[in-house]
Amino acid sequence: MSGLKASKQQQSNFKRPDPLDTGSYPGRVVRVYDLGLQPQRTFPGNPPKGPAHEIHVTYELADEFLKNDAGEDLVDKPRWVSESFVLHPLSSDLATSTKRMKAIDVDDELDGDWTEALSRPIMINIVQNAKGDKIYENVQSLSPMRKKDADKLDPLVNEAKFFDLQAPDLELYNTLPKWLQEKISSNLEFAGSPLEKLLKATP
């Protein structure tokens, strides 16, 4: 019998970094992705929720980095943390999107425009959550950064980018993790959208 046999799963050399400690981290907004109209989970005992527009926001941490095999910081590979939430009007004071925007834009300069939030300095408050036998870090909240600290903060290592469903960048889309591509392409308004047309036209 041949010893050459394809494995059932693709092998990966990726090693998940240790979860970040609970605490507050300086950073900047590095990515904003438009997820489109998404179905919402309904919890037992609550009335069903209608679909809602969601965005996915990624923050680049200024003082936490991936490490090499010797445990040394790779200064060109800062750690990222991300979260998704429903995009509500700014008048919805209790909405996560409003709280995040107000922390980023304390002077009300951006008029709720998340594309203008890119590169903005922010303090990212991170907590640890267990899922099975793994520990994950999650964004609990954002808080404004003091101006004197923001003035000293290093610029982004990675280029700030926005994925726009109305004018999709296929090159950017193809760099996204598979699960995020699937979430975007399964949004409830995908049929007939610019992204669907672009994907169909691509060999």
Side-chain angles (χ1 to χ4, degrees):
M1 180 182 293
S2 170
L4 184 62
K5 181 179 179 181
S7 61
K8 293 183 178 179
Q9 294 183 344
Q10 183 176 0
Q11 298 299 311
S12 173
N13 293 324
F14 175 76
K15 181 181 178 183
R16 186 177 186 85
D18 293 335
L20 295 161
D21 292 334
T22 294
S24 187
Y25 295 79
R28 295 181 184 272
V29 180
V30 69
R31 296 284 192 274
V32 176
Y33 303 128
D34 183 0
L35 301 181
L37 193 66
Q38 297 286 338
Q40 301 299 298
R41 291 177 60 190
T42 299
F43 294 95
N46 292 326
K49 292 182 179 181
H53 201 110
E54 292 185 10
I55 61 174
H56 187 80
V57 181
T58 299
Y59 312 97
E60 182 180 287
L61 305 185
D63 58 2
E64 292 289 337
F65 305 87
L66 296 177
K67 299 183 183 298
N68 61 21
D69 292 338
E72 300 166 330
D73 286 344
L74 297 169
V75 295
D76 61 335
K77 291 181 170 56
R79 294 282 294 267
W80 286 9
V81 291
S82 302
E83 59 176 343
S84 299
F85 44 79
V86 172
L87 185 61
H88 286 281
L90 286 176
S91 57
S92 301
D93 290 334
L94 298 180
T96 297
S97 61
T98 302
K99 293 177 181 178
R100 300 296 193 259
M101 178 55 72
K102 287 185 174 181
I104 294 168
D105 181 26
V106 293
D107 296 322
D108 294 326
E109 300 172 331
L110 307 186
D111 196 30
D113 187 347
W114 277 93
T115 64
E116 294 295 325
L118 288 167
S119 300
R120 289 275 179 143
I122 195 67
M123 298 301 297
I124 304 109
N125 305 310
I126 292 174
V127 294
Q128 291 186 351
N129 294 109
K131 187 175 182 181
D133 59 351
K134 291 184 174 64
I135 301 294
Y136 296 88
E137 66 258 359
N138 293 102
V139 178
Q140 183 182 53
S141 62
L142 302 182
S143 52
M145 185 180 294
R146 297 185 306 172
K147 185 178 185 304
K148 68 177 184 178
D149 294 329
D151 289 343
K152 294 184 292 184
L153 190 69
D154 289 336
L156 286 169
V157 173
N158 296 277
E159 182 183 355
K161 294 183 179 181
F162 168 60
F163 181 76
D164 184 358
L165 272 173
Q166 299 307 309
D169 179 341
L170 191 58
E171 183 178 354
L172 176 56
Y173 177 82
N174 287 334
T175 68
L176 303 182
K178 189 71 174 177
W179 69 268
L180 196 51
Q181 290 182 7
E182 290 174 351
K183 187 172 180 69
I184 291 172
S185 63
S186 65
N187 84 80
L188 300 179
E189 296 176 328
F190 178 71
S193 68
L195 178 59
E196 185 194 38
K197 294 175 182 176
L198 191 60
L199 291 172
K200 283 185 174 179
T202 303

